[in-house]
């Protein structure tokens, strides 16, 4: 007899990553629930919320259960959490600390077998830019400490960069598409970063939620085709557009000077570039016993490579 699938609740379900989590859960045949701040949208659409209405209708057509709730309404969190086995939180990173009421609700409910907190980036315990990131990673590290102090069964997802960030411009701050004449290369050009598409992050996450090998560990996403230096990114792009670009090297010192001379939050792109492509925060460390690597555990998962993604930009 086939084992019953875990019931999955996605918090932040209407966001870019959250909606992928919902659909990956549905695709994996999990009974799927989405926490939505205002369910009146479903019955009373308007021009201001038409996109969200379409999304929620899509969820309903796929059998997703919509639950009304928010971090500001603790009772709604309790009620939602008690209906499921797994909670995936995909709210934006800037709202990381707002997960605390959800974690308290998970502890009070006592029925959650796995919590996936909103992390979905570089490992906050490994980055080497603490103190210059405006608490971006400190907030995530604080959430890890809180989850562990409350004894919540968890898996952290370390996917590093989502492909929709920085890669569309080939890591060129201020641009929306890859350059075709000249390109800035930060650092020596050889340090590697990792990019993963949202839908692939979701697929790997759903593989992990019932896997005992990922319990209370970090799941690192390091797909071989998605680990690239700036030199490798430029080589791929030049091959695709059949043109050599003029290369402008930006040294570590020049990048730091630019960061210090740029106000927050405009400086964050350069800070993340410094972290990944100068300090090597995505790749400088080996995975120890506190973590596991996704493509090793789930070799059947097909994912979009960086090269395939760049094909869509030509």
């Amino acid at each position: 007899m086939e084992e019953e699938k875990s019931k999955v609740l996605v918090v932040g379900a209407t966001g870019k990553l959250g909606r992928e989590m919902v659909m990956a859960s549905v695709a994996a045949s999990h009974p799927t629930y989405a926490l939505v701040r205002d369910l009146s949208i479903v019955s009373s659409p308007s021009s201001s919320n038409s996109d969200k209405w379409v999304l929620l209708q899509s969820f309903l057509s796929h059998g997703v259960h919509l639950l009304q709730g928010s971090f500001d309404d603790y009772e709604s969190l309790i009620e939602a959490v008690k209906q499921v086995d797994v909670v995936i939180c995909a709210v934006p990173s800037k709202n990381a600390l707002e997960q605390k009421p959800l974690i308290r609700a998970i502890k009070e409910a006592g029925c959650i077998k796995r919590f996936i907190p909103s992390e979905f980036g570089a490992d906050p315990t490994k980055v080497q830019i603490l103190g210059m990131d405006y608490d971006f990673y400190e907030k995530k590290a604080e959430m890890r400490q809180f989850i562990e102090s409350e004894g919540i069964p968890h898996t952290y997802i370390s996917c590093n960069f989502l492909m929709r960030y920085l890669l569309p411009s080939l890591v060129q701050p201020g641009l929306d598409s890859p350059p075709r004449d000249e390109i800035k290369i930060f650092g020596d050009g050889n340090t590697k970063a990792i990019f993963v598409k949202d839908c692939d992050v979701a697929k790997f996450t759903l593989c992990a939620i019932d896997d005992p090998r990922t319990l209370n560990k970090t799941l690192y996403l390091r797909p071989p085709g998605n680990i690239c230096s700036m030199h490798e990114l430029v080589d791929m792009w030049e091959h695709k557009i059949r043109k050599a670009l003029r290369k402008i090297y930006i040294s570590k010192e020049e990048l730091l000077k630019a960061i210090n001379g740029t106000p927050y939050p405009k400086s964050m792109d350069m800070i993340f570039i410094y972290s990944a492509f100068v300090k090597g925060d995505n790749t400088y460390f080996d995975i120890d016993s506190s973590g596991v690597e996704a493509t090793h555990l789930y070799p059947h998962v097909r994912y979009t490579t960086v090269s395939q993604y760049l094909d869509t930009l030509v």
Side-chain angles (χ1 to χ4, degrees):
M1 184 175 178
E2 187 176 351
E3 187 177 349
E4 185 177 350
K5 288 277 190 173
S6 293
K7 297 175 182 177
V8 176
L9 171 68
V10 179
V11 181
T14 59
K16 291 178 180 178
L17 180 58
R19 66 188 65 184
E20 298 292 351
M21 292 293 177
V22 171
M23 297 316 297
S25 178
V26 169
S29 301
H30 290 278
T32 305
Y33 298 71
L35 193 71
V36 180
R37 180 179 291 274
D38 184 7
L39 278 183
S40 67
I41 295 172
V42 176
S43 57
S44 303
S46 67
S47 58
S48 63
N49 61 31
S50 60
D51 289 346
K52 187 168 288 187
W53 180 85
V54 170
L55 178 63
L56 295 180
Q57 291 297 325
S58 174
F59 286 172
L60 290 171
S61 71
H62 285 89
V64 176
H65 305 276
L66 303 183
L67 304 176
Q68 183 160 306
S70 71
F71 290 153
D72 299 326
D73 183 352
Y74 185 73
E75 290 306 316
S76 73
L77 296 177
I78 287 285
E79 185 176 343
V81 166
K82 284 184 176 179
Q83 298 184 52
V84 300
D85 308 300
V86 173
V87 177
I88 300 172
C89 188
V91 299
S93 294
K94 64 182 180 181
N95 304 122
L97 295 182
E98 294 179 16
Q99 296 175 96
K100 287 187 176 181
L102 176 61
I103 293 166
R104 294 188 182 102
I106 289 171
K107 184 172 184 179
E108 182 176 332
C111 60
I112 298 304
K113 298 188 297 184
R114 195 75 60 96
F115 175 49
I116 313 293
S118 180
E119 197 164 290
F120 307 110
D123 185 336
T125 69
K126 304 291 188 183
V127 294
Q128 305 169 92
I129 60 166
L130 298 180
M132 65 179 293
D133 63 344
Y134 297 91
D135 295 334
F136 183 86
Y137 289 112
E138 284 91 334
K139 291 175 183 176
K140 294 184 177 186
E142 181 179 334
M143 289 312 307
R144 283 194 177 196
Q145 293 169 359
F146 187 59
I147 290 164
E148 292 166 20
S149 69
E150 294 295 317
I152 305 297
H154 60 270
T155 300
Y156 305 128
I157 307 296
S158 179
C159 60
N160 299 291
F161 287 134
L162 296 170
M163 278 188 177
R164 59 181 155 89
Y165 180 67
L166 291 179
L167 194 56
S169 69
L170 224 64
V171 196
Q172 302 298 292
L175 296 185
D176 296 322
S177 58
R180 292 176 179 265
D181 295 305
E182 66 178 34
I183 188 165
K184 294 177 180 177
I185 294 178
F186 297 95
D188 63 10
N190 297 319
T191 304
K192 295 178 185 268
I194 302 170
F195 296 89
V196 188
K197 201 171 183 180
D198 289 57
C199 60
D200 297 330
V201 174
K203 285 188 283 188
F204 283 117
T205 299
L206 266 294
C207 287
I209 61 174
D210 289 322
D211 189 343
R213 297 173 295 178
T214 62
L215 178 61
N216 298 332
K217 291 183 180 290
T218 300
L219 181 69
Y220 292 97
L221 275 58
R222 292 183 171 182
N226 297 31
I227 306 172
C228 303
S229 68
M230 289 212 68
H231 280 153
E232 289 168 333
L233 287 175
V234 173
D235 286 347
M236 274 190 274
W237 184 242
E238 288 180 328
H239 177 75
K240 292 178 188 300
I241 65 172
R242 299 180 180 180
K243 180 182 178 181
L245 304 182
R246 186 166 72 90
K247 299 163 186 67
I248 302 171
Y249 284 83
I250 308 297
S251 69
K252 170 185 174 180
E253 292 73 23
E254 290 172 319
L255 180 55
L256 285 172
K257 184 177 180 180
I259 290 170
N260 292 331
T262 304
Y264 174 84
K266 290 184 178 181
S267 59
M268 288 306 295
D269 285 354
M270 290 187 288
I271 290 171
F272 289 131
I273 290 169
Y274 176 75
S275 171
F277 287 101
V278 175
K279 300 297 288 184
D281 283 342
N282 292 179
T283 55
Y284 78 87
F285 60 94
D286 294 325
I287 298 172
D288 59 24
S289 60
S290 67
V292 287
E293 201 283 315
T295 60
H296 291 166
L297 293 186
Y298 315 117
H300 64 282
V301 174
R302 299 183 67 178
Y303 58 88
T304 299
T305 65
V306 166
S307 179
Q308 290 168 339
Y309 179 81
L310 293 182
D311 285 338
T312 69
L313 305 179
V314 175

